[in-house]
Amino acid sequence: MTWMAWTPITAVFFTCIFLTLIGMAIWQAISPTIPRRGFLPLETTRGDRLFISLLGAAYIHLGFMVVSDASIWIASIIALVWLFLVMRWG
């Protein structure tokens, strides 16, 4: 994997995303999702909500880096709360 400057944090990040996608695929195979409406203005499935959560997490991190010099872990905690909210009630 020398073609990219992998750091341990980058490897852990992409491994977590990969494992999440595998987990969602298994969950879908065991219990097929039913589209539903939550606080998001459209009907979504679990996969849709995961995608929206990941996009939101990217924007949360980018916005946090623009407006603050604090630790990025704060943005990560905010992103996890966002993930929970969207997956549960989105």
Side-chain angles (χ1 to χ4, degrees):
M1 299 273 286
T2 59
W3 59 273
M4 184 174 171
W6 286 95
T7 64
I9 293 171
T10 309
V12 167
F13 173 77
F14 283 107
T15 302
C16 287
I17 297 296
F18 182 71
L19 292 175
T20 300
L21 292 174
I22 289 174
M24 290 291 286
I26 293 169
W27 189 9
Q28 177 67 21
I30 293 171
S31 171
T33 186
I34 299 169
R36 65 177 174 86
R37 290 187 65 96
F39 68 83
L40 296 170
L42 63 151
E43 197 171 79
T44 59
T45 64
R46 280 189 293 250
D48 298 332
R49 291 189 297 275
L50 176 65
F51 182 71
I52 292 167
S53 299
L54 291 174
L55 282 177
Y59 286 117
I60 289 167
H61 282 85
L62 288 172
F64 191 82
M65 289 189 298
V66 168
V67 300
S68 176
D69 289 333
S71 173
I72 199 71
W73 289 107
I74 296 169
S76 296
I77 292 168
I78 295 168
L80 282 174
V81 170
W82 170 249
L83 171 81
F84 175 76
L85 290 173
V86 170
M87 291 302 288
R88 180 68 180 111
W89 293 293

